[in-house]
Amino acid sequence: MIFSAAILNRVVATSLVTTSVALSPMFGAIAQAQTLNGAGATFPAPLYERYAREVKKKYPDLKINYQAIGSGGGIRQVTAGTVDFGGSDAAMKDDEIAKVKNGVILVPTAGGAVSVVYNIPGVSNLKLSRATLPAIFAGQISNWNDPKIKADNPGVNLPNQPIKFVVRADGSGTTFIFTNHLSAINGYFKGRVGASTTPKWTLPNVLKGKGNPGVAALVARTPGSIGYVEYAYALKNNLKSAQIQNKQGEFVAPSLQSANAALATVNFPNNYRVFVGDPAQGYPIVGLTWIMVYKQYADASKSDAIKKWVNWVLKDGQQYNDDLNYTKIPSDVANRVLQTVNSTVKP
């Protein structure tokens, strides 16, 4: 009996050690921080940087890395499967979605205005009509004292000098939002340039900057220049933004309020893909931005982390949109998106 008890004690002790060894990796995995790597649009980069800081206050073990490489780069990375999520201001097309091996869900995170920024010494209140703006970026107007620009700006002393155009060097959702609007209001621009993340500009005196920061920097240091950047970058770099004529004939400056007015009537379909060409009211050059997440991930820890991230963005994260001059996603749309993500994303 004593012998049997001794054997039993050794068996129990051995079992406990074996159980401890077997469980320790699992407990280590639970405690280990989960990192999600994303890349894409520069349009929402200031917002995503804020999200990445704030989400750690609720989930200290969740780390978000986001590289602002442009929407085209974000779509390419998602297609190649080299990131955990992508970012784009140009919603993926059907043929692009079909190339994603693990499937993809478009998650709208914010909206915003694209500012037409300029650097004309002595001019601080430039107005551009629905006829003039497309003509400038189609190359039909190439001098600042052109009669059409002067007609939009009576009494303003416009210089007799060539316009220096600043556009994106990379595939860009900001470019898509901008060219999508110009294509919607002007047939010549649509045929000549068209709505694209990488349009074939046929402009004289053209300069190209990488990302919104690159375009903003070029406009800031180039007298006589005009370009387009996400509104937050115009503010951050103290750039002058033109007032743009909207569908109602009003000249409207970019702002959070005027962007909200433009996006107020947007209807989100089941795939949450929206192209805002010519809104009925508010500031006319506006668009949405999306996070692209896969339907299937390699393991449960990664899929759970993605769901945690998206749920935080559309619930807690939206409170930070206003602070950085981005519009919020309507709560009813956010709830629909979360239902899709929570039921679809799996290991």
Side-chain angles (χ1 to χ4, degrees), residues 19 22 32 34 36 45 50 54 59 73 89 124-125 137 139 155 173 176 199 206 219 233-234 239 269 288 306 336:
T19 302
Q32 186 178 4
Q34 180 66 256
L36 297 177
R50 178 71 178 275
E54 298 293 341
Y59 301 115
D89 318 318
S124 58
N125 192 26
F137 279 90
F176 177 82
V206 67
V219 172
Y233 289 88
L239 296 173
L288 294 156
I306 280 289
R336 284 170 50 202

Side-chain angles (χ1 to χ4, degrees), residues 265-284:
T265 58
V266 168
N267 292 316
F268 288 81
N270 290 336
N271 62 5
Y272 313 113
R273 186 169 56 182
V274 174
F275 303 103
V276 186
D278 189 22
Q281 58 190 13
Y283 183 74

Side-chain angles (χ1 to χ4, degrees), residues 75-304:
I75 291 173
R76 285 193 296 272
Q77 296 268 23
V78 167
T79 304
T82 53
V83 290
D84 297 312
F85 68 93
S88 180
D89 318 318
M92 294 180 77
K93 300 174 184 175
D94 289 343
D95 62 322
E96 292 172 329
I97 290 173
K99 294 176 183 177
V100 181
K101 180 182 177 181
N102 290 333
V104 66
I105 301 170
L106 304 182
V107 177
T109 56
V114 173
S115 293
V116 179
V117 291
Y118 64 94
N119 181 347
I120 312 173
V123 177
S124 58
N125 192 26
L126 184 70
K127 296 180 179 178
L128 296 172
S129 67
R130 289 165 72 82
T132 302
L133 180 61
I136 290 173
F137 279 90
Q140 294 173 295
I141 295 175
S142 57
N143 201 287
W144 278 116
N145 71 345
D146 186 280
K148 291 182 179 178
I149 302 179
K150 291 175 71 173
D152 291 344
N153 299 273
V156 176
N157 186 21
L158 293 161
N160 181 17
Q161 68 180 61
I163 296 172
K164 296 176 182 177
F165 303 90
V166 184
V167 300
R168 288 283 287 270
D170 51 329
S172 159
T174 306
T175 298
F176 177 82
I177 293 170
F178 183 62
T179 58
N180 186 46
H181 173 66
L182 298 189
S183 294
I185 65 172
N186 186 275
Y188 182 83
F189 183 92
K190 183 177 181 180
R192 179 85 167 179
V193 182
S196 175
T197 58
T198 54
K200 294 181 179 178
W201 299 107
T202 55
L203 299 168
N205 306 308
V206 67
L207 303 170
K208 294 185 177 183
K210 187 175 181 180
N212 277 287
V215 172
L218 279 171
V219 172
R221 66 172 181 257
T222 309
S225 64
I226 188 170
Y228 55 90
V229 296
E230 196 276 322
Y231 176 53
Y233 289 88
L235 291 179
K236 182 178 180 180
N237 292 275
N238 296 312
L239 296 173
K240 297 171 185 173
S241 294
Q243 295 181 47
I244 307 300
Q245 191 179 35
N246 68 9
K247 202 169 190 175
Q248 296 181 346
E250 303 165 330
F251 285 93
V252 184
S255 68
L256 178 60
Q257 182 180 6
S258 61
N260 271 320
L263 292 170
T265 58
V266 168
N267 292 316
F268 288 81
N270 290 336
N271 62 5
Y272 313 113
R273 186 169 56 182
V274 174
F275 303 103
V276 186
D278 189 22
Q281 58 190 13
Y283 183 74
I285 314 176
V286 292
L288 294 156
T289 194
W290 292 264
I291 283 175
M292 299 167 286
V293 301
Y294 301 110
K295 293 181 178 179
Q296 185 173 13
Y297 285 85
D299 54 61
S301 62
K302 188 72 75 173
S303 63
D304 288 347

